[in-house]
Amino acid sequence: MSDRNPRVVSALKLVRPAERRKAGRFLAEGPNAVAAALARGAVIELFATSKAIEKHEAIMGNAGCPVWIVSERIAKGLSETVTPQGLVAVCEAPAARLDHTLAKVPPEGFVAVLVDVNEPGNAGTIIRVADAAGAAAVIIAGESVDPLNGKVIRAAAGSSFHLPVVRAAIAGDVVEELLRARFRVLATSARGELSIFDVGEVLSGTRVAWLFGNEAHGLPAAIADRATHAVSIPIRGGAESLNLATAATLCLYESARSLHGSARAQAG
C-alpha cells in the first residue's frame, strides 16, 4: 500500500492530537494494545507489515476488520515510539464522561486522577497499574499528556482498553465532582499529614480518589488544598524521591489491599 493511499494519509494524521480530537479516532500500536482493542471491538482498520503479520498470526486471524499490508517505512510513520512493531490499529476514541464514569464506581472502589502529568510513559504505566490493581477508572486532568498519545497507549500495554480513561480539561472541576460524588480525595504529597502506612482507616468504607501530580512540581497547591487528606510515602534510605509511576503503584495497591482485605473479612 502506497503512503499516498487515502487510508494511509488519514491514519498518519492521527499522530497529531488535534487530528485525533477532530476525527474521534486514535492509533494503537503493538500486539498487546491491538489485541486488547480488538477484544473490545474498538478497531476500525489494521495496518501491518509482512513481518508483523507472520509474527502475530493469532491476532491477525481474529482481526475481524480490514487489514492493510504496509511497508516498514509507513509503519514507522504511524508509530510514535522509538522501536516500531509494525502493527498499528486505527481505533474509535472512547466517549466516557466523567459523571457517568464516577456513578459506576462501586461503593468501596477507587480511581486514579493524573493532574498535569507530562510524561507519556508515566501516564501509560499508571493506567496499566490502575488496571492491575483493580481501579474503576483513570482520570487524566489539567495539562496532562493526551491519553490517546501513541506512547501512552503503548506504555499501558492494552490496559487503556480495559477500564475507562476519562479526559478532563480542568483539574479543579474534577476534584469538585469527586467531592460531590462523596469520594474521599487523597492528595499525594511529601508533606502529607498521613503516611501511606497509616492510611488504612481512611480507605475503608468509602470510594477513594488518588490525586497524582506533575513529575517535577507535584500537585498544584489549589488542587491539593481541596483534598480530604494529604498522604506521604516515607523515604527510609538515601533516595531523593520516588518516580511518579512507582509512587502511584504503592498508593493504588494500598487501596487494593484495603478493598480485598475488607471483602475477606466480610466473607469470613
Side-chain angles (χ1 to χ4, degrees), residues 107-142:
E108 293 189 63
F110 59 99
V111 301
V113 183
L114 280 59
V115 179
D116 301 341
V117 171
N118 293 329
E119 290 293 330
N122 278 333
T125 300
I126 294 173
I127 291 170
R128 185 176 183 178
V129 169
D131 179 23
V138 175
I139 301 161
I140 312 288

PDB file of all heavy atoms in Angstrom, residues 107-142:
ATOM      1  N   PRO A 107     -19.206   0.949  45.682  1.00  0.00           N
ATOM      2  CA  PRO A 107     -19.200   1.645  46.979  1.00  0.00           C
ATOM      3  C   PRO A 107     -17.824   1.794  47.626  1.00  0.00           C
ATOM      4  O   PRO A 107     -17.561   2.787  48.288  1.00  0.00           O
ATOM      5  CB  PRO A 107     -20.123   0.788  47.843  1.00  0.00           C
ATOM      6  CG  PRO A 107     -21.063   0.158  46.869  1.00  0.00           C
ATOM      7  CD  PRO A 107     -20.250  -0.093  45.642  1.00  0.00           C
ATOM      8  N   GLU A 108     -16.950   0.821  47.482  1.00  0.00           N
ATOM      9  CA  GLU A 108     -15.604   0.938  48.050  1.00  0.00           C
ATOM     10  C   GLU A 108     -14.539   0.888  46.961  1.00  0.00           C
ATOM     11  O   GLU A 108     -13.387   0.525  47.206  1.00  0.00           O
ATOM     12  CB  GLU A 108     -15.366  -0.165  49.087  1.00  0.00           C
ATOM     13  CG  GLU A 108     -16.231  -0.024  50.334  1.00  0.00           C
ATOM     14  CD  GLU A 108     -15.826  -0.987  51.442  1.00  0.00           C
ATOM     15  OE1 GLU A 108     -14.688  -0.876  51.940  1.00  0.00           O
ATOM     16  OE2 GLU A 108     -16.653  -1.833  51.804  1.00  0.00           O
ATOM     17  N   GLY A 109     -14.910   1.296  45.754  1.00  0.00           N
ATOM     18  CA  GLY A 109     -13.964   1.300  44.651  1.00  0.00           C
ATOM     19  C   GLY A 109     -13.030   2.506  44.707  1.00  0.00           C
ATOM     20  O   GLY A 109     -13.190   3.409  45.541  1.00  0.00           O
ATOM     21  N   PHE A 110     -12.061   2.520  43.821  1.00  0.00           N
ATOM     22  CA  PHE A 110     -11.100   3.624  43.804  1.00  0.00           C
ATOM     23  C   PHE A 110     -10.723   3.983  42.372  1.00  0.00           C
ATOM     24  O   PHE A 110     -10.839   3.165  41.453  1.00  0.00           O
ATOM     25  CB  PHE A 110      -9.854   3.278  44.628  1.00  0.00           C
ATOM     26  CG  PHE A 110      -9.102   2.058  44.171  1.00  0.00           C
ATOM     27  CD1 PHE A 110      -7.965   2.165  43.375  1.00  0.00           C
ATOM     28  CD2 PHE A 110      -9.521   0.775  44.538  1.00  0.00           C
ATOM     29  CE1 PHE A 110      -7.273   1.045  42.957  1.00  0.00           C
ATOM     30  CE2 PHE A 110      -8.832  -0.356  44.134  1.00  0.00           C
ATOM     31  CZ  PHE A 110      -7.702  -0.217  43.330  1.00  0.00           C
ATOM     32  N   VAL A 111     -10.301   5.235  42.208  1.00  0.00           N
ATOM     33  CA  VAL A 111      -9.896   5.737  40.901  1.00  0.00           C
ATOM     34  C   VAL A 111      -8.563   6.464  41.044  1.00  0.00           C
ATOM     35  O   VAL A 111      -8.190   6.905  42.130  1.00  0.00           O
ATOM     36  CB  VAL A 111     -10.942   6.697  40.289  1.00  0.00           C
ATOM     37  CG1 VAL A 111     -12.291   5.999  40.125  1.00  0.00           C
ATOM     38  CG2 VAL A 111     -11.085   7.960  41.125  1.00  0.00           C
ATOM     39  N   ALA A 112      -7.850   6.597  39.931  1.00  0.00           N
ATOM     40  CA  ALA A 112      -6.605   7.367  39.875  1.00  0.00           C
ATOM     41  C   ALA A 112      -6.850   8.627  39.067  1.00  0.00           C
ATOM     42  O   ALA A 112      -7.475   8.578  38.009  1.00  0.00           O
ATOM     43  CB  ALA A 112      -5.495   6.537  39.237  1.00  0.00           C
ATOM     44  N   VAL A 113      -6.362   9.760  39.578  1.00  0.00           N
ATOM     45  CA  VAL A 113      -6.513  11.041  38.889  1.00  0.00           C
ATOM     46  C   VAL A 113      -5.124  11.616  38.628  1.00  0.00           C
ATOM     47  O   VAL A 113      -4.364  11.862  39.569  1.00  0.00           O
ATOM     48  CB  VAL A 113      -7.335  12.037  39.718  1.00  0.00           C
ATOM     49  CG1 VAL A 113      -7.540  13.335  38.938  1.00  0.00           C
ATOM     50  CG2 VAL A 113      -8.681  11.428  40.118  1.00  0.00           C
ATOM     51  N   LEU A 114      -4.790  11.820  37.370  1.00  0.00           N
ATOM     52  CA  LEU A 114      -3.495  12.381  36.993  1.00  0.00           C
ATOM     53  C   LEU A 114      -3.679  13.858  36.684  1.00  0.00           C
ATOM     54  O   LEU A 114      -4.492  14.226  35.835  1.00  0.00           O
ATOM     55  CB  LEU A 114      -2.922  11.662  35.769  1.00  0.00           C
ATOM     56  CG  LEU A 114      -2.228  10.317  35.991  1.00  0.00           C
ATOM     57  CD1 LEU A 114      -3.170   9.299  36.632  1.00  0.00           C
ATOM     58  CD2 LEU A 114      -1.690   9.774  34.684  1.00  0.00           C
ATOM     59  N   VAL A 115      -2.932  14.708  37.392  1.00  0.00           N
ATOM     60  CA  VAL A 115      -3.050  16.160  37.236  1.00  0.00           C
ATOM     61  C   VAL A 115      -1.738  16.713  36.676  1.00  0.00           C
ATOM     62  O   VAL A 115      -0.690  16.632  37.332  1.00  0.00           O
ATOM     63  CB  VAL A 115      -3.379  16.841  38.581  1.00  0.00           C
ATOM     64  CG1 VAL A 115      -3.468  18.355  38.396  1.00  0.00           C
ATOM     65  CG2 VAL A 115      -4.680  16.300  39.157  1.00  0.00           C
ATOM     66  N   ASP A 116      -1.786  17.256  35.480  1.00  0.00           N
ATOM     67  CA  ASP A 116      -0.614  17.874  34.837  1.00  0.00           C
ATOM     68  C   ASP A 116       0.555  16.900  34.688  1.00  0.00           C
ATOM     69  O   ASP A 116       1.724  17.289  34.790  1.00  0.00           O
ATOM     70  CB  ASP A 116      -0.146  19.107  35.615  1.00  0.00           C
ATOM     71  CG  ASP A 116      -1.218  20.175  35.737  1.00  0.00           C
ATOM     72  OD1 ASP A 116      -2.175  20.137  34.937  1.00  0.00           O
ATOM     73  OD2 ASP A 116      -1.107  21.035  36.629  1.00  0.00           O
ATOM     74  N   VAL A 117       0.262  15.635  34.449  1.00  0.00           N
ATOM     75  CA  VAL A 117       1.312  14.635  34.245  1.00  0.00           C
ATOM     76  C   VAL A 117       1.760  14.703  32.785  1.00  0.00           C
ATOM     77  O   VAL A 117       0.963  14.507  31.873  1.00  0.00           O
ATOM     78  CB  VAL A 117       0.805  13.225  34.607  1.00  0.00           C
ATOM     79  CG1 VAL A 117       1.820  12.164  34.194  1.00  0.00           C
ATOM     80  CG2 VAL A 117       0.529  13.140  36.103  1.00  0.00           C
ATOM     81  N   ASN A 118       3.047  14.971  32.583  1.00  0.00           N
ATOM     82  CA  ASN A 118       3.541  15.259  31.232  1.00  0.00           C
ATOM     83  C   ASN A 118       4.115  14.062  30.494  1.00  0.00           C
ATOM     84  O   ASN A 118       4.082  14.006  29.266  1.00  0.00           O
ATOM     85  CB  ASN A 118       4.635  16.341  31.291  1.00  0.00           C
ATOM     86  CG  ASN A 118       4.096  17.684  31.722  1.00  0.00           C
ATOM     87  OD1 ASN A 118       2.953  18.008  31.443  1.00  0.00           O
ATOM     88  ND2 ASN A 118       4.911  18.465  32.402  1.00  0.00           N
ATOM     89  N   GLU A 119       4.704  13.130  31.209  1.00  0.00           N
ATOM     90  CA  GLU A 119       5.436  12.041  30.572  1.00  0.00           C
ATOM     91  C   GLU A 119       4.497  10.931  30.095  1.00  0.00           C
ATOM     92  O   GLU A 119       3.800  10.314  30.914  1.00  0.00           O
ATOM     93  CB  GLU A 119       6.461  11.457  31.541  1.00  0.00           C
ATOM     94  CG  GLU A 119       7.624  12.377  31.839  1.00  0.00           C
ATOM     95  CD  GLU A 119       8.505  12.602  30.631  1.00  0.00           C
ATOM     96  OE1 GLU A 119       8.589  11.691  29.775  1.00  0.00           O
ATOM     97  OE2 GLU A 119       9.095  13.692  30.516  1.00  0.00           O
ATOM     98  N   PRO A 120       4.472  10.645  28.795  1.00  0.00           N
ATOM     99  CA  PRO A 120       3.607   9.575  28.290  1.00  0.00           C
ATOM    100  C   PRO A 120       3.876   8.230  28.955  1.00  0.00           C
ATOM    101  O   PRO A 120       2.948   7.478  29.241  1.00  0.00           O
ATOM    102  CB  PRO A 120       3.931   9.528  26.798  1.00  0.00           C
ATOM    103  CG  PRO A 120       4.477  10.872  26.476  1.00  0.00           C
ATOM    104  CD  PRO A 120       5.208  11.313  27.700  1.00  0.00           C
ATOM    105  N   GLY A 121       5.161   7.928  29.201  1.00  0.00           N
ATOM    106  CA  GLY A 121       5.495   6.655  29.835  1.00  0.00           C
ATOM    107  C   GLY A 121       4.909   6.534  31.222  1.00  0.00           C
ATOM    108  O   GLY A 121       4.397   5.472  31.609  1.00  0.00           O
ATOM    109  N   ASN A 122       4.946   7.612  32.000  1.00  0.00           N
ATOM    110  CA  ASN A 122       4.350   7.600  33.335  1.00  0.00           C
ATOM    111  C   ASN A 122       2.838   7.438  33.263  1.00  0.00           C
ATOM    112  O   ASN A 122       2.245   6.652  34.004  1.00  0.00           O
ATOM    113  CB  ASN A 122       4.691   8.890  34.088  1.00  0.00           C
ATOM    114  CG  ASN A 122       6.056   8.856  34.738  1.00  0.00           C
ATOM    115  OD1 ASN A 122       6.565   7.800  35.075  1.00  0.00           O
ATOM    116  ND2 ASN A 122       6.667  10.012  34.913  1.00  0.00           N
ATOM    117  N   ALA A 123       2.210   8.210  32.374  1.00  0.00           N
ATOM    118  CA  ALA A 123       0.754   8.128  32.246  1.00  0.00           C
ATOM    119  C   ALA A 123       0.315   6.721  31.849  1.00  0.00           C
ATOM    120  O   ALA A 123      -0.605   6.147  32.440  1.00  0.00           O
ATOM    121  CB  ALA A 123       0.253   9.153  31.233  1.00  0.00           C
ATOM    122  N   GLY A 124       0.978   6.154  30.853  1.00  0.00           N
ATOM    123  CA  GLY A 124       0.619   4.809  30.404  1.00  0.00           C
ATOM    124  C   GLY A 124       0.872   3.767  31.473  1.00  0.00           C
ATOM    125  O   GLY A 124       0.058   2.852  31.657  1.00  0.00           O
ATOM    126  N   THR A 125       1.989   3.895  32.184  1.00  0.00           N
ATOM    127  CA  THR A 125       2.288   2.931  33.247  1.00  0.00           C
ATOM    128  C   THR A 125       1.267   3.008  34.367  1.00  0.00           C
ATOM    129  O   THR A 125       0.840   1.981  34.909  1.00  0.00           O
ATOM    130  CB  THR A 125       3.705   3.177  33.804  1.00  0.00           C
ATOM    131  OG1 THR A 125       4.657   3.018  32.758  1.00  0.00           O
ATOM    132  CG2 THR A 125       4.029   2.199  34.923  1.00  0.00           C
ATOM    133  N   ILE A 126       0.836   4.206  34.727  1.00  0.00           N
ATOM    134  CA  ILE A 126      -0.164   4.346  35.791  1.00  0.00           C
ATOM    135  C   ILE A 126      -1.503   3.758  35.351  1.00  0.00           C
ATOM    136  O   ILE A 126      -2.211   3.127  36.142  1.00  0.00           O
ATOM    137  CB  ILE A 126      -0.308   5.815  36.221  1.00  0.00           C
ATOM    138  CG1 ILE A 126       0.993   6.291  36.887  1.00  0.00           C
ATOM    139  CG2 ILE A 126      -1.486   5.981  37.192  1.00  0.00           C
ATOM    140  CD1 ILE A 126       1.036   7.777  37.195  1.00  0.00           C
ATOM    141  N   ILE A 127      -1.860   3.922  34.080  1.00  0.00           N
ATOM    142  CA  ILE A 127      -3.082   3.283  33.574  1.00  0.00           C
ATOM    143  C   ILE A 127      -2.961   1.772  33.707  1.00  0.00           C
ATOM    144  O   ILE A 127      -3.902   1.087  34.143  1.00  0.00           O
ATOM    145  CB  ILE A 127      -3.328   3.688  32.108  1.00  0.00           C
ATOM    146  CG1 ILE A 127      -3.697   5.173  32.023  1.00  0.00           C
ATOM    147  CG2 ILE A 127      -4.439   2.820  31.488  1.00  0.00           C
ATOM    148  CD1 ILE A 127      -3.731   5.726  30.608  1.00  0.00           C
ATOM    149  N   ARG A 128      -1.807   1.236  33.361  1.00  0.00           N
ATOM    150  CA  ARG A 128      -1.575  -0.210  33.461  1.00  0.00           C
ATOM    151  C   ARG A 128      -1.639  -0.679  34.913  1.00  0.00           C
ATOM    152  O   ARG A 128      -2.251  -1.715  35.214  1.00  0.00           O
ATOM    153  CB  ARG A 128      -0.204  -0.526  32.858  1.00  0.00           C
ATOM    154  CG  ARG A 128       0.129  -2.004  32.777  1.00  0.00           C
ATOM    155  CD  ARG A 128       1.456  -2.186  32.068  1.00  0.00           C
ATOM    156  NE  ARG A 128       1.798  -3.593  31.892  1.00  0.00           N
ATOM    157  CZ  ARG A 128       2.886  -4.016  31.263  1.00  0.00           C
ATOM    158  NH1 ARG A 128       3.747  -3.136  30.767  1.00  0.00           N
ATOM    159  NH2 ARG A 128       3.126  -5.314  31.134  1.00  0.00           N
ATOM    160  N   VAL A 129      -1.018   0.069  35.817  1.00  0.00           N
ATOM    161  CA  VAL A 129      -1.043  -0.288  37.240  1.00  0.00           C
ATOM    162  C   VAL A 129      -2.461  -0.194  37.795  1.00  0.00           C
ATOM    163  O   VAL A 129      -2.912  -1.063  38.560  1.00  0.00           O
ATOM    164  CB  VAL A 129      -0.092   0.623  38.041  1.00  0.00           C
ATOM    165  CG1 VAL A 129      -0.309   0.453  39.543  1.00  0.00           C
ATOM    166  CG2 VAL A 129       1.353   0.325  37.687  1.00  0.00           C
ATOM    167  N   ALA A 130      -3.182   0.860  37.429  1.00  0.00           N
ATOM    168  CA  ALA A 130      -4.563   1.017  37.897  1.00  0.00           C
ATOM    169  C   ALA A 130      -5.416  -0.167  37.467  1.00  0.00           C
ATOM    170  O   ALA A 130      -6.232  -0.686  38.244  1.00  0.00           O
ATOM    171  CB  ALA A 130      -5.149   2.322  37.357  1.00  0.00           C
ATOM    172  N   ASP A 131      -5.236  -0.600  36.236  1.00  0.00           N
ATOM    173  CA  ASP A 131      -5.942  -1.772  35.728  1.00  0.00           C
ATOM    174  C   ASP A 131      -5.579  -3.009  36.544  1.00  0.00           C
ATOM    175  O   ASP A 131      -6.455  -3.766  36.992  1.00  0.00           O
ATOM    176  CB  ASP A 131      -5.579  -1.950  34.253  1.00  0.00           C
ATOM    177  CG  ASP A 131      -6.239  -3.150  33.602  1.00  0.00           C
ATOM    178  OD1 ASP A 131      -7.290  -3.614  34.085  1.00  0.00           O
ATOM    179  OD2 ASP A 131      -5.701  -3.634  32.586  1.00  0.00           O
ATOM    180  N   ALA A 132      -4.279  -3.217  36.769  1.00  0.00           N
ATOM    181  CA  ALA A 132      -3.822  -4.396  37.505  1.00  0.00           C
ATOM    182  C   ALA A 132      -4.304  -4.390  38.953  1.00  0.00           C
ATOM    183  O   ALA A 132      -4.633  -5.447  39.510  1.00  0.00           O
ATOM    184  CB  ALA A 132      -2.297  -4.472  37.467  1.00  0.00           C
ATOM    185  N   ALA A 133      -4.364  -3.209  39.559  1.00  0.00           N
ATOM    186  CA  ALA A 133      -4.769  -3.114  40.966  1.00  0.00           C
ATOM    187  C   ALA A 133      -6.282  -3.199  41.151  1.00  0.00           C
ATOM    188  O   ALA A 133      -6.765  -3.362  42.265  1.00  0.00           O
ATOM    189  CB  ALA A 133      -4.249  -1.808  41.568  1.00  0.00           C
ATOM    190  N   GLY A 134      -7.033  -3.068  40.063  1.00  0.00           N
ATOM    191  CA  GLY A 134      -8.486  -3.154  40.151  1.00  0.00           C
ATOM    192  C   GLY A 134      -9.182  -1.822  40.287  1.00  0.00           C
ATOM    193  O   GLY A 134     -10.324  -1.760  40.754  1.00  0.00           O
ATOM    194  N   ALA A 135      -8.523  -0.739  39.883  1.00  0.00           N
ATOM    195  CA  ALA A 135      -9.170   0.577  39.920  1.00  0.00           C
ATOM    196  C   ALA A 135     -10.366   0.601  38.970  1.00  0.00           C
ATOM    197  O   ALA A 135     -10.406  -0.120  37.977  1.00  0.00           O
ATOM    198  CB  ALA A 135      -8.174   1.674  39.545  1.00  0.00           C
ATOM    199  N   ALA A 136     -11.330   1.455  39.284  1.00  0.00           N
ATOM    200  CA  ALA A 136     -12.537   1.537  38.466  1.00  0.00           C
ATOM    201  C   ALA A 136     -12.357   2.445  37.261  1.00  0.00           C
ATOM    202  O   ALA A 136     -13.092   2.323  36.276  1.00  0.00           O
ATOM    203  CB  ALA A 136     -13.703   2.040  39.310  1.00  0.00           C
ATOM    204  N   ALA A 137     -11.391   3.372  37.327  1.00  0.00           N
ATOM    205  CA  ALA A 137     -11.191   4.308  36.216  1.00  0.00           C
ATOM    206  C   ALA A 137      -9.899   5.082  36.439  1.00  0.00           C
ATOM    207  O   ALA A 137      -9.364   5.123  37.547  1.00  0.00           O
ATOM    208  CB  ALA A 137     -12.361   5.284  36.103  1.00  0.00           C
ATOM    209  N   VAL A 138      -9.433   5.705  35.367  1.00  0.00           N
ATOM    210  CA  VAL A 138      -8.330   6.661  35.430  1.00  0.00           C
ATOM    211  C   VAL A 138      -8.821   7.961  34.810  1.00  0.00           C
ATOM    212  O   VAL A 138      -9.433   7.951  33.737  1.00  0.00           O
ATOM    213  CB  VAL A 138      -7.082   6.159  34.682  1.00  0.00           C
ATOM    214  CG1 VAL A 138      -5.993   7.238  34.671  1.00  0.00           C
ATOM    215  CG2 VAL A 138      -6.552   4.882  35.309  1.00  0.00           C
ATOM    216  N   ILE A 139      -8.561   9.068  35.494  1.00  0.00           N
ATOM    217  CA  ILE A 139      -8.969  10.381  35.007  1.00  0.00           C
ATOM    218  C   ILE A 139      -7.704  11.183  34.704  1.00  0.00           C
ATOM    219  O   ILE A 139      -6.830  11.321  35.559  1.00  0.00           O
ATOM    220  CB  ILE A 139      -9.835  11.110  36.044  1.00  0.00           C
ATOM    221  CG1 ILE A 139     -11.085  10.271  36.364  1.00  0.00           C
ATOM    222  CG2 ILE A 139     -10.240  12.488  35.547  1.00  0.00           C
ATOM    223  CD1 ILE A 139     -11.764  10.635  37.661  1.00  0.00           C
ATOM    224  N   ILE A 140      -7.599  11.677  33.487  1.00  0.00           N
ATOM    225  CA  ILE A 140      -6.442  12.453  33.044  1.00  0.00           C
ATOM    226  C   ILE A 140      -6.867  13.920  33.007  1.00  0.00           C
ATOM    227  O   ILE A 140      -7.701  14.296  32.175  1.00  0.00           O
ATOM    228  CB  ILE A 140      -5.958  12.016  31.653  1.00  0.00           C
ATOM    229  CG1 ILE A 140      -5.822  10.485  31.573  1.00  0.00           C
ATOM    230  CG2 ILE A 140      -4.662  12.709  31.289  1.00  0.00           C
ATOM    231  CD1 ILE A 140      -4.679   9.907  32.316  1.00  0.00           C
ATOM    232  N   ALA A 141      -6.325  14.738  33.927  1.00  0.00           N
ATOM    233  CA  ALA A 141      -6.857  16.086  34.116  1.00  0.00           C
ATOM    234  C   ALA A 141      -5.804  17.174  33.891  1.00  0.00           C
ATOM    235  O   ALA A 141      -4.600  16.927  33.934  1.00  0.00           O
ATOM    236  CB  ALA A 141      -7.428  16.219  35.524  1.00  0.00           C
ATOM    237  N   GLY A 142      -6.303  18.389  33.678  1.00  0.00           N
ATOM    238  CA  GLY A 142      -5.436  19.554  33.570  1.00  0.00           C
ATOM    239  C   GLY A 142      -4.590  19.527  32.315  1.00  0.00           C
ATOM    240  O   GLY A 142      -5.038  19.173  31.236  1.00  0.00           O
TER     241      GLY A 142
END
